[in-house]
Amino acid sequence: MTNLSSAVERLGGVYLLPLLLSTLAFALIGSPSTWMTLTIAGLAMGMMIFLMASGLSLIFGLMDVLNFGHPAFVSFGAFIAASVLAALASWVSGDSAVMNIVALMAAIAAATAFGAVAGWFFERVIVKPVYKDHLRQILITMGALIVAEQLLLVIWGGVPIQVARPAILTGSVIVGDVSIEVYRIFAFLLGLVVFVAMYAVLNRTRVGLLVRAGVENREMVEALGFRIDRLFIGVFMAGSALAAMGGAMWAGYQSLITASLGSELMILVFIVVIIGGLGSIQGSLLGAILVGLMANYIAFLFPKMALASNMLLMMAILLWRPFGLKPAVK
Amino acid sequence: MSNAILRLDDVHTDIAQYHILHGISLDVPEGGVHVLLGRNGAGKTTTLRTIMGLWRAKKGAIVFRHHDITAMHTSDIARLGIAFVPENMGIFGGLTVEENMKLATSDGSFDKARLARIYELFPALEKFWDKQAYALSGGQKQMLAIARAMAEPRALILIDEPTKGLAPSIIRNMVDAFREIARETTILLVEQNFFFARSLGSGVAVIEDGRIIHRGQMADLAADEALQNRLLSLSAEAHT
């Protein structure tokens, strides 16, 4: 048994889970083209959820803050991106690929920048007074989420908003029998780029080293001469910016958004953070991919189980690994 | 004492509703190993944590090299040249030994001669340099915690019960290491293991119920078993 588990660890350990899940799904689905379509949809969905969840995981891990207001950044990111795309409608729908990309980048940049600035304000005004008090954190951040949703209704109204998708990201690529939406490929690649960038910052820079150390033991980081409260602000801003970026991507994915978009995704985001392990970027990626794949496979195979599938996944993983698949703290 | 590197003057500390330190006054002279002895719950750890600013003094003053550090932020206290080795060692298990050491340097780079000296004192750290620290044994983790305090020159190292839970052979290595460290740095050592403390300490203070009840030279306390029994409620035999 020990030999088997060490052999599994050598092969990749918990990182084999997506492979295992997709292999099992392949056997159950039967059709390779359907399986491929679902797998790519799951990976794209997973990457977008990763964007939203990774910041929350770091905020929870480093700052010990239960931020139930995190979905507000997702919602605002989606609406800001939608507004920018609407304002640049002629670029979005035009034939010029360059203008398409400029419009897309402007939408994502505006959402991300708003997330960073709003994150700074949120940390200073709402979260800072309730550090070390989880009950108040839950109450005040839930309250902030409700206020944020009302603000969305005030600014954008209660009617669902149509999100224009840049022409370059519409349509599909046909590979054999498999039809792959271009937007999903883009979502997957963007998520991958963000993961690589975050991984590099966390593992190759001194700031990243401090963040990883702070996730484990804030007090000791301070006793070594570093101001962790300054790191807190940076991490909170980055986490909020990523959530807004995820929201912007999700807006393009769904095409129709409402003010409750963030709240609806909250459960999935929290599941990813919990099963991935607190404070771990690799864990968040792994959790997000599992959740994305699971949601797509189950929705196809057992539609009535779709809502419960990720809850069951979380229960199974927590029974096996109570601290998540890749917790940052050893 | 005029050559005190650290002075505590009537320091009171509360933890939640509990009044733990009841007016600690203590001078730590520059150089050597100075030991703070006391039973469990006497206030030893609270004293070190109050010096580091991890718990705030409610009253009194803490002066380090003419700087009043009583209300300073912990990170500022550390940057003045005080290193802290907590009782739980404060190792970052998810980081490698090298990364743990890097965090103890001001710019992430090591002085080669200093690193060579650390390897000489603690060979296991060189062996496990690129391994994650959670995989180290308890003794190796303690070595890493102490090595981290030595990564750059410090004026004062506060060490909280370094021998707790360690095997006698490792404790003997610790004695050698501490003697070496004390050649360039002042150490304030909190201990319950009197044999370990006696082999290192030059000065000693005994704390009981949050008050200093004895100050003097370690040699005098070591030579007076009756005094040991009276102050510590322990004898040398109890630790053999």
Side-chain angles (χ1 to χ4, degrees):
Chain A
M1 193 67 187
T2 312
N3 287 342
L4 179 67
S5 65
S6 55
V8 170
E9 278 302 318
R10 271 199 304 278
L11 285 170
V14 291
Y15 293 113
L16 294 175
L17 280 175
L19 198 63
L20 193 70
L21 180 64
S22 52
T23 308
L24 184 66
F26 184 78
L28 291 170
I29 292 166
S31 157
S33 60
T34 306
W35 174 81
M36 182 59 88
T37 303
L38 291 170
T39 301
I40 289 168
L43 289 173
M45 180 183 169
M47 282 303 194
M48 284 184 275
I49 296 171
F50 163 73
L51 291 176
M52 302 171 207
S54 54
L56 183 66
S57 181
L58 273 185
I59 288 167
F60 202 172
L62 177 69
M63 303 164 72
D64 200 21
V65 168
L66 292 163
N67 181 15
F68 281 77
H70 196 73
F73 300 107
V74 175
S75 300
F76 266 100
F79 276 86
I80 287 170
S83 294
V84 172
L85 289 171
L88 302 174
S90 58
W91 294 3
V92 171
S93 56
D95 291 335
S96 163
V98 174
M99 297 321 281
N100 278 184
I101 291 168
V102 169
L104 179 70
M105 290 302 141
I108 293 174
T112 308
F114 174 84
V117 174
W120 173 82
F121 177 81
F122 198 85
E123 196 275 341
R124 291 288 93 183
V125 176
I126 294 172
V127 175
K128 197 180 175 194
V130 292
Y131 274 144
K132 299 179 182 173
D133 189 339
H134 283 152
L135 182 61
R136 287 188 183 181
Q137 283 166 15
I138 293 169
L139 291 174
I140 201 163
T141 57
M142 283 292 275
L145 177 60
I146 293 167
V147 170
E149 284 187 354
Q150 296 308 308
L151 276 175
L152 287 169
L153 290 173
V154 168
I155 299 168
W156 281 280
V159 180
I161 288 182
Q162 188 80 35
V163 183
R165 195 181 279 185
I168 196 171
L169 295 182
T170 54
S172 302
V173 175
I174 308 292
V175 182
D177 291 344
V178 183
S179 165
I180 307 167
E181 269 190 59
V182 176
Y183 193 83
R184 287 177 175 166
I185 298 172
F186 173 70
F188 178 77
L189 292 176
L190 181 70
L192 201 60
V193 166
V194 170
F195 170 74
V196 170
M198 285 178 82
Y199 187 85
V201 168
L202 285 171
N203 291 282
R204 299 276 180 268
T205 68
R206 190 153 173 84
V207 170
L209 182 59
L210 285 169
V211 171
R212 285 188 293 137
V215 167
E216 289 199 40
N217 189 339
R218 283 174 289 166
E219 192 176 89
M220 199 60 220
V221 172
E222 295 205 319
L224 288 168
F226 301 99
R227 288 296 294 257
I228 201 137
D229 49 349
R230 289 174 190 158
L231 266 184
F232 278 9
I233 303 170
V235 167
F236 207 98
M237 287 173 72
S240 306
L242 285 171
M245 185 193 278
M249 290 304 298
W250 194 263
Y253 182 61
Q254 292 290 301
S255 299
L256 200 64
I257 55 172
T258 65
S260 59
L261 176 145
S263 304
E264 287 161 8
L265 285 168
M266 186 162 81
I267 300 291
L268 279 185
V269 169
F270 272 84
I271 287 174
V272 166
V273 169
I274 292 165
I275 67 176
L278 294 178
S280 160
I281 293 303
Q282 296 97 308
S284 294
L285 180 69
L286 185 59
I289 286 175
L290 283 173
V291 163
L293 290 175
M294 190 80 167
N296 279 275
Y297 292 146
I298 296 293
F300 177 80
L301 289 167
F302 314 105
K304 287 182 180 173
M305 291 281 289
L307 283 174
S309 62
N310 281 309
M311 282 290 181
L312 294 172
L313 176 71
M314 181 172 72
M315 284 164 62
I317 286 174
L318 290 184
L319 283 170
W320 174 40
R321 292 201 173 201
F323 296 102
L325 293 170
K326 275 280 162 191
V329 180
K330 300 284 196 299
Chain B
M1 222 176 275
S2 59
N3 69 335
I5 189 170
L6 179 76
R7 172 166 292 167
L8 280 73
D9 183 18
D10 191 30
V11 171
H12 292 251
T13 302
D14 291 355
I15 301 174
Q17 71 270 40
Y18 302 106
H19 192 176
I20 307 295
L21 300 186
H22 298 264
I24 294 277
S25 292
L26 180 70
D27 281 354
V28 177
E30 184 144 21
V33 180
H34 306 275
V35 182
L36 189 57
L37 284 171
R39 287 181 289 190
N40 271 340
K44 307 182 298 293
T45 296
T46 306
T47 304
L48 292 196
R49 290 179 64 85
T50 305
I51 295 167
M52 276 312 289
L54 294 166
W55 285 330
R56 289 283 159 214
K58 186 179 74 171
K59 190 182 155 202
I62 305 169
V63 178
F64 171 72
R65 281 185 164 169
H66 311 297
H67 297 277
D68 185 346
I69 62 170
T70 320
M72 264 192 190
H73 193 274
T74 299
S75 60
D76 296 330
I77 295 170
R79 281 200 293 270
L80 283 176
I82 303 181
F84 179 47
V85 181
E87 191 178 346
N88 66 7
M89 298 175 265
I91 295 301
F92 304 107
L95 308 188
T96 63
V97 170
E98 180 184 8
E99 287 172 332
N100 269 274
M101 291 291 290
K102 270 187 180 171
L103 281 172
T105 62
S106 51
D107 61 359
S109 62
F110 298 105
D111 176 274
K112 281 182 184 167
R114 185 167 281 274
L115 194 59
R117 194 168 148 238
I118 289 171
Y119 285 161
E120 200 179 312
L121 284 170
F122 308 117
L125 298 186
E126 185 175 16
K127 186 178 171 189
F128 298 113
W129 190 242
D130 55 358
K131 296 282 182 288
Q132 284 189 303
Y134 77 90
L136 300 177
S137 69
Q140 288 162 347
K141 281 180 182 160
Q142 189 61 269
M143 289 173 194
L144 175 56
I146 293 163
R148 212 166 46 182
M150 300 168 59
E152 286 193 338
R154 317 275 183 205
L156 175 66
I157 304 180
L158 311 175
I159 307 179
D160 196 355
E161 297 207 39
T163 62
K164 201 171 183 179
L166 298 186
S169 60
I170 295 172
I171 293 175
R172 278 194 290 278
N173 285 347
M174 289 277 175
V175 171
D176 295 338
F178 280 22
R179 284 198 181 119
E180 175 74 14
I181 297 164
R183 283 164 52 186
E184 66 162 27
T185 305
T186 306
I187 296 176
L188 177 57
L189 175 71
V190 154
E191 248 316 330
Q192 283 197 75
N193 182 333
F194 185 63
F195 263 91
F196 179 71
R198 190 175 71 171
S199 60
L200 285 166
S202 48
V204 62
V206 180
I207 186 171
E208 181 67 40
D209 290 334
R211 294 177 181 86
I212 298 291
I213 57 168
H214 173 82
R215 290 181 194 82
Q217 293 303 304
M218 180 58 88
D220 297 336
L221 182 61
D224 190 340
E225 200 166 321
L227 185 62
Q228 290 169 32
N229 281 327
R230 184 168 64 78
L231 292 173
L232 306 171
S233 297
L234 48 80
S235 64
E237 286 77 18
H239 283 272
T240 53

